[in-house]
Amino acid sequence: MRLRVSGQIYTCLRRRYTTVTGSAAQVQQPLNYVNGQRDQPQGRDQASRFDLINPATGEVLRQVQNSGVEEVDGAIRAAQQALPSWSRQSGFDRGQVLRKAAQLIRERCEELARTEVLDTGKPIWEARYDIQGCADTIDYYGGLAAAITGEFTQLAGGSFAYTIREALGVVGAIGAWNYPFQMAAWKSSPALACGNTVVFKPSPFTPLTAVMLGEIYREAGLLDGGYNVIQGEGETGQLLCRHPGVAKMSFTGSVPTGSRIMEACAQDIKYVTLELGGKSPLIIFSDADIDNAVKGAMLANFSNQGQVCSNGTRVFVQKDVAQQFLEKLVERTRKMKIGDPNAEDTTVGATISSSQADKVMAYVEGAKKEGATVVYGGERVSVSDPWLAGGHYLSPCILADCHDDMTVVREEVFGSVMSVLTFDTEEEVLRRANDTEFGLAGGVFTRDLSRAHRVAAGMEAGSLYVNNYNIYPVGVPFGGYKKSGIGRENGRDTLDYYSQIKSVYVEMNDVDCPY
Ligand code: NDP
């Protein structure tokens, strides 16, 4: 039997669908999370509120109050109060809390993923993948917590020294909008494993899931005040960075903001780690499996509507296979399905905001003016579903005839815009690949093992892929060279950025003093 529904009833069903999953209920709750409970900032100033918009529909879901001096200070005080008890627990006990949190995240994956879709407009299967990955990360740091130890050094005459790895204190963290839950998890879990407490500020575009993480940590046994969330725009972020109670800032976002955060941290000589933007190269040699390279190039450009910092947006293809590569790429890209992020078969969801969509389209128009050829996409798409009419949907864009000096090839677009360039030799392509102020990621497709390692060694970037792209298995450090940042996340080395070393010298003999 075919069910016929009018547009209005259909809309109601869709609203109901969202509500049933529980994600809509998350929107109405207070969105600060301080000292183990949700909290509503008391500001009455209308000008100090921002709209939370569902990117898929354009609908204003609610207004969110910016956190001011009082709220930021309150969250930091809560974190300071929790610090002594949390940092004195054994690593094993801290690890147990994290491992339990990971289990709860897996159990609540669907609600978390639906809420992430509401915030970001990304396809539901991508959101599920992100949430499961976060559970793995938290599990991983839970497992490592008991192994965070110092070292022992035997010295002359029986004397010795040992080191203690201590927490830094209260960690302030600020995230971007493309992977909201991941940023909260990637920053808080290593920080907590090392015995720090955390105050996290999500992007104002995506405030919802970071608060849910707070409730999960609490249920898993984290002390109240161990993990706090404050909402707000850039000014709230600055209050956090400049607060004397914060020992370290961990930031993910754009290069200009990263630079401002570093400047704010310089005032009190705070630790700072930065995960910033990129304009990464993906090199495809003619001996590569071209079908595989096509898939790699799509993963490197079209996931999450292209809003991925590590994207390999400068795709260098060796000249003799460039035409074949482009034909196969267009054929496969044509099959991508643009539309409702909550539908299981959607592969391209909504762009985060109208200003981001305008920015992406301006890069496409600029590229055309500078001589690039659009071989596929690069257009605004109106999806047939009336419920989604207010969202911003863009077709993935493939640009050919690109050259190194074009604006679209030099600047980070943060949208699904792939620039295809051609090259002749390995030496030439390495030089061109490294000719950028960024150094976040890079990739190479080839069947030649020696070349693969040579090119990976030659690329000036922190995260490299051979015959794949944009996968982040837990335990593999992620982070950038050059203007792409300082520090690493998602690996064992990350613990170095959330702890400090105290060394203790122990004399076993009389003091040998020349005076
Ligand atoms: P922004 O740098 O604009 O913002 C990031 C966060 O910083 C937001 O929460 C923002 O709040 C806040 N912020 C802005 N100004 C200040 C300030 N002066 N002091 C303190 N906080 C501030 O980045 P986007 O959110 O637009 O994210 C896109 C960028 O993030 C891209 O450049 C991308 O490459 C990068 N990114 C890097 C990743 C990595 O791991 N390397 C991963 C993901 C994204 P508000 O919005 O109110 O300004």
Side-chain angles (χ1 to χ4, degrees):
M1 187 181 77
R2 275 179 73 90
L3 186 66
R4 293 167 67 94
V5 286
S6 76
Q8 207 176 0
I9 295 171
Y10 182 60
T11 301
C12 289
L13 286 173
R14 294 297 295 274
R15 280 181 192 276
R16 176 135 182 237
Y17 172 66
T18 316
T19 309
V20 167
T21 60
S23 53
Q26 291 295 335
V27 173
Q28 303 312 332
Q29 302 198 38
L31 291 179
N32 276 9
Y33 186 79
V34 177
N35 213 12
Q37 54 190 354
R38 287 187 182 250
D39 191 30
Q40 185 62 45
Q42 290 310 305
R44 283 169 186 79
D45 180 6
Q46 282 288 343
S48 189
R49 291 176 192 182
F50 57 90
D51 288 341
L52 172 59
I53 294 170
N54 179 352
T57 62
E59 176 192 13
V60 177
L61 296 168
R62 64 171 285 174
Q63 286 202 311
V64 182
Q65 176 72 45
N66 277 304
S67 299
V69 176
E70 207 177 302
E71 287 82 19
V72 174
D73 198 51
I76 293 169
R77 248 183 297 117
Q80 283 173 323
Q81 278 160 14
L83 185 66
S85 318
W86 180 248
S87 60
R88 270 203 300 269
Q89 285 191 19
S90 72
F92 180 79
D93 288 346
R94 289 199 297 267
Q96 271 195 317
V97 171
L98 292 173
R99 292 197 301 278
K100 173 74 181 164
Q103 181 200 327
L104 292 171
I105 289 168
R106 291 193 182 102
E107 286 166 16
R108 288 175 208 169
C109 179
E110 193 59 23
E111 191 192 357
L112 284 160
R114 294 281 172 194
T115 310
E116 195 83 325
V117 171
L118 201 58
D119 252 356
T120 60
K122 67 174 67 182
I124 180 64
W125 60 269
E126 281 201 54
R128 284 191 200 111
Y129 178 82
D130 294 352
I131 303 291
Q132 295 287 0
C134 293
D136 292 349
T137 299
I138 294 175
D139 225 350
Y140 173 76
Y141 287 114
L144 278 182
I148 301 171
T149 56
E151 287 179 357
F152 174 87
T153 308
Q154 185 66 63
L155 299 167
S159 296
F160 60 93
Y162 60 92
T163 59
I164 307 169
R165 191 172 277 275
E166 292 185 342
L168 298 172
V170 175
V171 169
I174 298 179
W177 40 259
N178 53 343
Y179 290 95
F181 191 71
Q182 186 196 76
M183 283 175 208
W186 277 27
K187 293 179 188 307
S188 63
S189 56
L192 291 169
C194 291
N196 305 282
T197 53
V198 178
V199 178
F200 181 70
K201 190 201 86 69
S203 163
F205 287 102
T206 53
L208 300 176
T209 50
V211 194
M212 296 167 79
L213 179 61
E215 291 175 328
I216 286 172
Y217 276 143
R218 184 169 200 262
E219 199 176 325
L222 182 64
L223 297 175
D224 290 349
Y227 168 89
N228 309 273
V229 179
I230 46 167
Q231 306 289 349
E233 295 175 291
E235 213 172 298
T236 305
Q238 276 293 303
L239 288 172
L240 183 60
C241 299
R242 293 185 184 277
H243 197 291
V246 169
K248 178 220 161 104
M249 284 303 304
S250 171
F251 172 73
T252 297
S254 63
V255 176
T257 309
S259 170
R260 263 176 244 129
I261 284 175
M262 208 168 170
E263 214 179 303
C265 289
Q267 202 180 319
D268 291 329
I269 321 290
K270 286 177 183 151
Y271 288 92
V272 57
T273 44
L274 305 169
E275 298 287 353
L276 307 175
K279 191 71 202 176
S280 301
L282 170 59
I283 304 173
I284 296 162
F285 286 95
S286 53
D287 68 350
D289 175 331
I290 297 300
D291 291 313
N292 238 354
V294 164
K295 288 190 261 176
M298 290 174 77
L299 284 177
N301 282 271
F302 301 150
S303 307
N304 202 29
Q305 293 67 249
Q307 302 161 146
V308 184
C309 49
S310 53
N311 270 359
T313 46
R314 292 183 294 140
V315 178
F316 293 94
V317 189
Q318 207 155 17
K319 264 190 193 136
D320 45 343
V321 290
Q323 191 54 36
Q324 185 195 0
F325 170 82
L326 269 177
E327 283 165 15
K328 288 183 177 229
L329 176 67
V330 170
E331 189 189 325
R332 207 175 163 104
T333 306
R334 213 181 281 287
K335 295 181 186 145
M336 293 187 79
K337 187 155 181 276
I338 305 170
D340 183 358
N342 274 299
E344 297 293 338
D345 59 347
T346 292
T347 45
V348 181
T351 301
I352 189 77
S353 63
S354 63
S355 60
Q356 187 64 21
D358 290 347
K359 185 181 150 198
V360 174
M361 289 309 298
Y363 273 109
V364 174
E365 292 310 315
K368 285 194 230 169
K369 285 194 191 117
E370 288 184 53
T373 307
V374 178
V375 291
Y376 185 79
E379 289 164 339
R380 289 178 191 271
V381 175
S382 19
V383 288
S384 54
D385 186 340
W387 168 247
L388 306 173
H392 300 276
Y393 295 86
L394 308 180
S395 54
C397 177
I398 302 167
L399 298 172
D401 303 320
C402 293
H403 57 78
D404 296 352
D405 298 331
M406 285 176 174
T407 312
V408 75
V409 177
R410 301 215 70 81
E411 296 181 7
E412 183 182 46
V413 176
F414 225 56
S416 289
V417 182
M418 182 195 302
S419 302
V420 179
L421 306 112
T422 56
F423 70 94
D424 289 305
T425 68
E426 181 182 320
E427 191 193 2
E428 169 211 337
V429 76
L430 248 184
R431 182 181 40 76
R432 290 169 62 195
N434 287 333
D435 182 19
T436 166
E437 58 182 4
F438 298 109
L440 188 53
V444 53
F445 275 79
T446 177
R447 286 192 174 102
D448 180 334
L449 203 57
S450 310
R451 168 182 276 159
H453 292 297
R454 216 168 37 235
V455 171
M459 281 208 222
E460 296 165 3
S463 304
L464 294 166
Y465 303 94
V466 174
N467 292 333
N468 207 333
Y469 207 95
N470 264 352
I471 49 167
Y472 314 99
V474 69
V476 179
F478 178 78
Y481 282 18
K482 302 197 257 186
K483 280 195 181 172
S484 291
I486 299 172
R488 293 292 177 270
E489 295 193 315
N490 202 40
R492 196 185 180 103
D493 316 68
T494 308
L495 299 173
D496 294 343
Y497 297 100
Y498 286 101
S499 57
Q500 56 194 340
I501 299 282
K502 177 180 280 173
S503 64
V504 181
Y505 174 93
V506 181
E507 181 60 68
M508 297 297 282
N509 308 292
D510 287 345
V511 173
D512 181 13
C513 177
Y515 314 113

